Amino acid sequence: MQPYYTAAILGGLFLLLFVWEHRAPLRTARAALARRLFVNVGISALALGIAALIVEPVGASALQQVSDRGFGLLHWVDLPAAAQFVVGFVLMDIAFYYWHVANHRIPLLWRLHNVHHIDPDLDVSTAFRFHLGEVALSAGFRVVQIAVIGVSPLTFAIYELVFQANTLFHHSNVHLPLRVERLLNKILVTPRMHGIHHSEVWRENNSNYSVVFPWWDRLHRTLRLNIPQSRIVIGIPGYAAGPDNRLGNALLLPFLRQRNYWRRADGTAAERSSTDIGSPSSCMEE
Ligand SMILES: [Zn+2]
């Protein structure tokens, strides 16, 4: 697929979700939209710039080398073309699950990934709001991912498009009928599922890491669906003050002394009482 078509599809999807989430929002916004958009567009522009300058060329070169040398799992195992595509696609996705977990568990990576999480609301404008340092470091992960899997350039391109499209979708604040979302969530990470990942409660932030397929969270017991969206406060308690989400402050944040992420300015921890939690974890809540 040509980058031109990819950009057109993703741009169209962005606009669709943007209009939709303002007509039928899932969660009520806390912060002023214009101010957030300014910050999110700024951080995303730098992220996309670094992706174009570093991550894409590095990825393209890795894809070339892997196919020239016949390196990686998919080159070592003899599979029909269709199976090679399916296995490649699924392995790409589980690799991103591990990369996302690493971004939360490794302190240096979390300093950077935290910038994505301190957005006080969650909508489609949050989708590409990643610190440029996180994006630059992801180039290293890309090389390992491509080399270990031995993914073909075509599978990679198709996965990449689905990955970006679902990243837009699951960050969006669109209100889908619960029945529809429960069904969709059998095969895709959806807005309610990812909304729980952006909760200010540590336990909830440390769940729902999947990007495209939700199965990896179920497999690793990091799935959490029983939190009603109306009870979720989006953000990171230690970085919830208004100035924390200014463009300059957010970009500098990883390089400054880190606060206790999970305590509010008044020292209290963000916790959830059991009365706020819905029915069994297999069931997604309104
Ligand atoms: Zn995260």
Side-chain angles (χ1 to χ4, degrees), residues 100-101 103-104 110 113-114 116-117 130 134 171 194 197-198 205-209:
H100 191 189
V101 171
N103 271 284
H104 278 253
W110 171 247
H113 188 59
N114 181 34
H116 174 66
H117 276 274
F130 289 97
E134 175 177 348
H171 282 97
H194 198 70
H197 177 69
H198 278 259
N205 175 281
N206 273 283
S207 62
N208 302 357
Y209 294 106

Side-chain angles (χ1 to χ4, degrees), residues 65 269 273:
Q65 301 250 355
S273 76

Side-chain angles (χ1 to χ4, degrees), residues 49-71:
I50 293 293
L53 276 172
I54 300 177
V55 185
E56 278 168 33
V58 166
S61 155
L63 281 166
Q64 186 68 48
Q65 301 250 355
V66 157
S67 79
D68 287 353
R69 295 168 194 221
F71 194 87

Side-chain angles (χ1 to χ4, degrees), residues 6 16 24 56 62 118 120 131 158 170 173 187 192 218 245 260 280:
T6 311
L16 174 79
E56 278 168 33
I118 66 165
H131 193 279
I158 295 170
H170 71 226
N173 195 32
I187 54 159
R192 284 180 176 89
R218 204 175 283 279
N245 196 41
N260 184 328

Side-chain angles (χ1 to χ4, degrees), residues 24-285:
L26 173 61
R27 294 166 297 263
T28 311
R30 289 193 300 154
L33 178 65
R35 191 182 286 252
R36 276 189 58 244
L37 277 180
F38 173 77
V39 176
N40 289 359
V41 167
I43 298 177
S44 304
L46 291 168
L48 294 173
I50 293 293
L53 276 172
I54 300 177
V55 185
E56 278 168 33
V58 166
S61 155
L63 281 166
Q64 186 68 48
Q65 301 250 355
V66 157
S67 79
D68 287 353
R69 295 168 194 221
F71 194 87
L73 287 171
L74 291 172
H75 286 104
W76 299 329
V77 182
D78 199 18
L79 288 174
Q84 218 173 63
F85 169 75
V86 172
V87 173
F89 195 99
V90 167
L91 290 178
M92 287 290 290
D93 198 49
I94 196 170
F96 269 116
Y97 170 89
Y98 292 125
W99 174 240
H100 191 189
V101 171
N103 271 284
H104 278 253
R105 303 263 165 94
I106 299 173
L108 172 70
L109 296 180
W110 171 247
R111 279 177 179 245
L112 297 159
H113 188 59
N114 181 34
V115 175
H116 174 66
H117 276 274
I118 66 165
D119 193 347
D121 285 311
L122 181 65
D123 61 28
V124 72
S125 77
T126 318
F128 294 140
R129 176 209 150 110
F130 289 97
H131 193 279
L132 68 162
E134 175 177 348
V135 179
L137 288 179
S138 77
F141 161 74
R142 273 289 161 102
V143 171
V144 175
Q145 181 189 34
I146 290 169
V148 170
I149 300 171
V151 66
S152 77
L154 181 65
T155 307
F156 181 87
I158 295 170
Y159 177 78
E160 184 79 356
L161 179 60
V162 174
F163 171 91
Q164 307 286 14
N166 210 55
T167 297
L168 289 172
F169 173 61
H170 71 226
H171 282 97
S172 79
N173 195 32
V174 297
H175 184 277
L176 293 167
L178 192 55
R179 257 182 328 126
V180 174
E181 186 160 343
R182 278 184 181 151
L183 206 63
L184 209 53
N185 189 233
K186 304 261 185 247
I187 54 159
L188 284 179
V189 176
T190 58
R192 284 180 176 89
M193 178 178 170
H194 198 70
I196 295 167
H197 177 69
H198 278 259
S199 160
E200 64 161 5
V201 179
W202 175 81
R203 206 185 292 275
E204 293 161 18
N205 175 281
N206 273 283
S207 62
N208 302 357
Y209 294 106
S210 302
V211 181
V212 176
F213 300 127
W215 315 321
W216 316 127
D217 281 298
R218 204 175 283 279
L219 190 70
H220 293 87
R221 298 176 184 277
T222 50
L223 183 69
R224 195 177 298 273
L225 296 176
N226 61 345
I227 312 294
Q229 297 293 308
S230 57
R231 306 289 183 162
I232 295 175
V233 174
I234 301 290
I236 298 297
Y239 290 86
D244 292 331
N245 196 41
R246 290 203 185 120
L247 184 59
N249 290 347
L251 290 171
L252 275 176
L253 187 160
F255 309 107
L256 302 176
R257 218 186 111 124
Q258 302 289 285
R259 301 179 197 149
N260 184 328
Y261 301 103
W262 308 107
R263 288 198 179 267
R264 302 190 184 96
D266 64 6
T268 57
E271 281 173 41
R272 184 173 306 288
S273 76
S274 57
T275 52
D276 262 7
I277 300 175
S279 48
S281 63
S282 56
C283 195
M284 183 171 274
E285 296 288 322

